[in-house]
């Protein structure tokens, strides 16, 4: 009896499959001493744990402590891991298959891709020597909305998302017993993309501000003449409404100004179709994926304060480009098969970062950027420096950072909150793992905090230092096994000294509130 009691954990982890998996069947689990038995409907098996629906609710039972009876009992010897992945077609069409094939190769497995429908396919993983089947990954490629819907309906184990999970989805997931999807270990930033404004090659406009983009998206700005272009109506092109990229545009550019998306926006089902449509529309503008801009002309982001930022690999990786779009994997609080857990771990490895770059996306491997490659940022800082006090702080920042290298990890906070946003929470785990591995032993790390330019300069300086300390503490708390005596970790704040966007909008001010990491 003690084996079964120890094995049963109510409402914990599970493995569920796609709707194409075998139908659930009744089984009986009996303790090895025969003293206790448990009958219920088998909901999932991950090779180690059974998950049952019983008269006591949903229970998870360790297979090592029980014997399984019934036609629905899975084989403990010939277990085949099954994992369902649903969501963004941008992530699922090339990137995830490339990662899965690289993972299989490193683990001595062969892969076979089987098309099962217009939006679905299955990867069969087999032992390369024996040919024995060890895993099946079921892919459902649609959009971020459908990915979360599949998760909530128990038809997905991993969600591919081009936006952060929304509060309503967090509540629904919690009510469905999937745990708190806002916790750090419930999401991973797989790679980075960006929302890049593009126009036709012959369009004379070369730059646009985020405020102007917001007005275009809401319909308040509808003629190119306002931007120095021809006297012609503006046609806006976006992805379909269920796309995470399109929803990210709405969340980042439209909702903060309390506006609504223009109903006349032209929608496209794929990134390639969007880029092609803009390329052929002399009066069109679109917000496209950095990985698929086609032959359209990207616009520079600018603003009334004079800053200019271009979408490029380094500016996206450091999040200097304000419209960076993280590509998330969301995982419910339930147990996945060992094969799935190993694959998730592989996506964070150095080998995986190479695959991500080859697939055309921005990887997460930390890089060190010399201070002499920060010219555009320092130029922006000089342009907006105000008065003797501003010049003094800019000089102090320059002296402090001189001879240091910037790490390509940035940290930002949720609007109106001291809580780090989803990408920053992932960055915390990444930096903590590097510290635990001794990657920066013998070096000095400086967490540098920055603020927007609203309010008194001394107050902004205090806020910036507080933000830097908050991030430093979060990283140290996460790096539980790191030997911090082997690395110097400090924090400082420079207030409004180096803005990344103009302070003329709530969106711009939010971008400027950040923490960077510098190394010596």
């Amino acid at each position: 009896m003690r084996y079964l009691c120890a094995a049963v954990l109510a409402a914990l982890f599970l493995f569920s499959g796609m709707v194409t998996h075998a139908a659930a069947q009744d089984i009986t689990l009996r303790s090895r001493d025969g003293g206790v038995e448990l009958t219920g409907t088998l909901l999932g098996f991950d090779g180690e744990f059974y998950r049952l629906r019983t008269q006591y609710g949903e229970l998870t039972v360790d297979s090592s402590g029980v014997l399984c009876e019934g036609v629905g009992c899975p084989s403990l010897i010939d277990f085949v891991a099954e994992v369902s992945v649903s969501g963004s077609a941008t992530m699922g069409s090339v990137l995830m298959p490339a990662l899965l094939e690289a993972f299989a190769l490193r683990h001595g497995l062969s892969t076979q891709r089987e098309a099962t429908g217009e939006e679905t396919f299955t990867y069969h993983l087999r032992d390369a020597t024996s040919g024995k089947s060890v895993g099946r990954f079921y892919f459902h490629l649609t959009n971020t909305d459908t990915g979360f819907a599949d998760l909530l309906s128990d038809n997905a184990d991993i969600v591919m998302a081009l936006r952060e999970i929304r509060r309503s989805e967090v509540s629904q997931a919690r009510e469905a017993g999937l745990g708190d999807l806002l916790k750090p270990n419930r999401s991973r930033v797989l790679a980075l993309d960006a929302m890049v404004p593009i126009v036709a090659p012959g369009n004379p406009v070369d730059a646009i501000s985020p405020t102007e983009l917001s007005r275009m998206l809401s319909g308040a700005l509808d003629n190119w003449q306002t931007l120095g272009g021809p006297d012609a109506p503006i046609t806006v092109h976006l992805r379909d409404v269920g796309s995470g990229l399109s929803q990210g545009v709405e969340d980042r550019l439209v909702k903060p100004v309390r506006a609504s998306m223009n109903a006349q926006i032209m929608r496209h089902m794929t990134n390639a179709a969007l880029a092609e449509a803009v390329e052929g529309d002399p009066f069109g503008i679109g917000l496209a994926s950095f990985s698929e801009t086609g032959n359209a002309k990207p616009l520079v982001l600018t603003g009334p304060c004079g800053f200019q930022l271009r979408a490029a690999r380094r500016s996206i990786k450091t999040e200097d480009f304000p419209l960076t779009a993280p590509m998330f994997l969301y995982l419910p609080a339930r147990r996945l098969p060992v094969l799935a857990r190993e694959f998730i771990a592989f996506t964070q490895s150095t080998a995986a970062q190479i695959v991500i770059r080859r697939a055309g996306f921005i990887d997460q491997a930390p890089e060190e950027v010399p201070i002499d490659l920060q010219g555009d940022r320092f130029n922006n800082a000089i342009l907006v420096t105000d008065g003797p006090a501003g010049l003094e702080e800019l000089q102090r920042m320059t002296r402090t950072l001189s001879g240091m290298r910037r790490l390509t990890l940035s940290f930002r906070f949720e609007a109106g909150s001291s809580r780090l946003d989803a990408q920053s929470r992932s960055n915390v785990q990444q930096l903590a793992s590097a510290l635990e591995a001794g990657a920066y032993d013998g070096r000095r790390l400086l967490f540098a905090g920055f603020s927007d330019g609203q309010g008194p300069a001394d107050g902004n300086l205090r806020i910036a230092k507080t933000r830097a300390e908050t991030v430093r503490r979060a990283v140290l708390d996460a790096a539980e096994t790191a030997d911090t005596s082997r690395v110097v970790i400090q924090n400082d704040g420079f207030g409004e000294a180096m803005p990344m966007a103009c302070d003329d909008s709530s969106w711009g001010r939010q971008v400027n509130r950040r923490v960077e990491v510098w190394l010596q």
Side-chain angles (χ1 to χ4, degrees):
M1 180 173 179
R2 59 188 172 90
Y3 293 108
L4 185 59
C5 292
V8 177
L9 304 172
L12 283 178
F13 311 114
L14 73 142
F15 163 70
S16 67
M18 294 284 281
V19 291
T20 54
H21 294 179
Q25 300 184 53
D26 287 344
I27 62 171
T28 296
L29 300 180
R30 197 184 310 277
S31 61
R32 295 188 180 276
D33 61 8
V36 177
E37 68 177 39
L38 187 64
T39 299
T41 301
L42 179 64
L43 299 177
F45 179 66
D46 68 0
E48 298 173 292
F49 288 80
Y50 301 100
R51 178 173 177 257
L52 285 79
R53 180 183 296 116
T54 73
Q55 60 179 321
Y56 309 109
E58 292 185 4
L59 304 176
T60 300
V61 181
D62 188 341
S63 63
S64 65
V66 296
L67 299 174
C68 184
E69 300 175 358
V71 295
C73 289
S75 170
L76 300 181
I77 299 176
D78 297 320
F79 170 72
V80 178
E82 294 185 313
V83 187
S84 57
V85 186
S86 179
S88 165
T90 300
M91 299 172 63
S93 58
V94 176
L95 180 56
M96 286 289 281
L99 287 168
L100 188 57
E101 291 176 5
F103 164 78
L105 183 64
R106 289 180 67 87
H107 286 75
L109 304 174
S110 66
T111 59
Q112 177 187 357
R113 177 167 172 162
E114 176 191 5
T116 54
E118 291 186 4
E119 299 177 340
T120 59
F121 59 87
T122 300
Y123 262 94
H124 299 272
L125 273 62
R126 295 182 174 86
D127 185 281
T129 302
S130 67
K132 177 183 176 181
S133 180
V134 298
R136 288 188 285 269
F137 282 72
Y138 302 90
F139 283 86
H140 185 199
L141 306 189
T142 52
N143 53 47
T144 299
D145 271 0
T146 300
F148 282 119
D150 282 348
L151 180 70
L152 294 171
S153 62
D154 220 10
N155 288 323
D157 303 304
I158 300 172
V159 177
M160 302 175 292
L162 290 182
R163 61 165 172 82
E164 292 188 39
I165 189 170
R166 290 175 166 168
R167 290 290 175 177
S168 59
E169 293 162 338
V170 172
S171 299
Q172 292 169 359
R174 189 179 292 114
E175 292 170 1
L178 302 178
D180 185 356
L181 295 188
L182 290 178
K183 289 187 174 180
N185 58 347
R186 300 274 67 85
S187 66
R188 306 281 193 280
V189 175
L190 183 66
L192 296 176
D193 201 351
M195 299 174 284
V196 183
I198 58 173
V199 296
N203 193 312
V205 175
D206 295 315
I208 191 169
S209 74
T211 300
E212 290 165 340
L213 279 174
S214 298
R215 296 183 63 217
M216 278 186 178
L217 292 166
S218 66
L221 176 58
D222 59 6
N223 194 293
W224 282 107
Q225 197 168 33
T226 307
L227 302 176
D231 183 8
I234 296 171
T235 302
V236 179
H237 298 261
L238 287 181
R239 280 292 309 275
D240 55 290
V241 293
S243 163
L245 188 67
S246 178
Q247 292 169 353
V249 169
E250 183 177 5
D251 291 347
R252 299 278 292 277
L253 290 170
V254 179
K255 287 184 177 179
V257 296
R258 295 180 173 84
S260 299
M261 298 287 277
N262 185 359
Q264 303 303 314
I265 291 174
M266 302 291 291
R267 299 285 183 170
H268 305 274
M269 294 304 296
T270 67
N271 294 332
L274 187 156
E276 184 178 355
V278 173
E279 180 188 346
D281 183 352
F283 306 125
I285 185 171
L287 278 158
S289 164
F290 175 75
S291 62
E292 289 191 77
T293 57
N295 294 319
K297 181 176 76 172
L299 297 183
V300 175
L301 279 184
T302 187
C305 61
F307 82 92
Q308 289 194 340
L309 289 169
R310 291 172 175 81
R313 180 178 176 274
R314 182 180 292 118
S315 65
I316 294 171
K317 193 166 189 176
T318 58
E319 297 180 69
D320 291 348
F321 185 74
L323 296 180
T324 298
M327 309 176 82
F328 294 99
L329 293 182
Y330 276 91
L331 311 168
R334 64 194 189 199
R335 190 179 184 87
L336 295 177
V338 173
L339 187 69
R341 300 200 300 270
E342 290 177 344
F343 171 66
I344 294 298
F346 170 77
T347 63
Q348 306 293 304
S349 69
T350 301
Q353 306 314 306
I354 298 173
V355 176
I356 291 169
R357 288 197 294 272
R358 288 176 176 171
F361 297 96
I362 311 300
D363 64 278
Q364 289 284 285
E367 297 178 23
E368 298 178 21
V369 183
I371 195 168
D372 58 358
L373 293 181
Q374 303 286 311
D376 287 345
R377 286 168 20 103
F378 278 87
N379 180 64
N380 292 339
I382 293 170
L383 286 173
V384 300
T385 298
D386 184 24
L391 177 59
E392 181 180 347
E393 189 59 24
L394 177 59
Q395 291 174 334
R396 185 180 75 86
M397 179 190 73
T398 304
R399 286 194 300 269
T400 302
L401 301 181
S402 180
M404 302 187 75
R405 302 167 72 91
R406 183 188 175 193
L407 196 62
T408 52
L409 288 176
S410 296
F411 302 86
R412 286 186 170 85
F413 298 81
E414 294 177 350
S417 171
S418 60
R419 175 183 170 85
L420 289 168
D421 63 24
Q423 182 173 350
S424 298
R425 295 195 296 272
S426 179
N427 289 346
V428 165
Q429 298 300 317
Q430 185 178 353
L431 184 53
S433 297
L435 288 172
E436 289 178 328
Y440 303 114
D441 284 359
R443 304 186 68 181
R444 179 167 73 98
L445 271 71
L446 177 69
F447 290 89
F450 297 89
S451 72
D452 58 46
Q454 298 294 299
D458 56 346
N460 289 336
L461 185 59
R462 287 194 298 272
I463 292 172
K465 290 181 177 180
T466 299
R467 290 195 179 107
E469 170 59 20
T470 298
V471 174
R472 186 185 75 89
R473 179 49 52 195
V475 170
L476 290 177
D477 287 346
E480 296 179 355
T481 64
D483 184 356
T484 55
S485 67
R486 306 183 67 172
V487 58
V488 177
I489 302 178
Q490 301 171 329
N491 59 273
D492 202 342
F494 303 105
E496 56 202 66
M498 190 159 30
M500 299 310 306
C502 298
D503 280 329
D504 63 328
S505 67
S506 60
W507 178 89
R509 293 189 290 273
Q510 177 68 17
V511 168
N512 288 333
R513 302 165 191 152
R514 69 194 186 281
V515 175
E516 300 175 358
V517 182
W518 288 74
L519 293 164
Q520 188 175 36

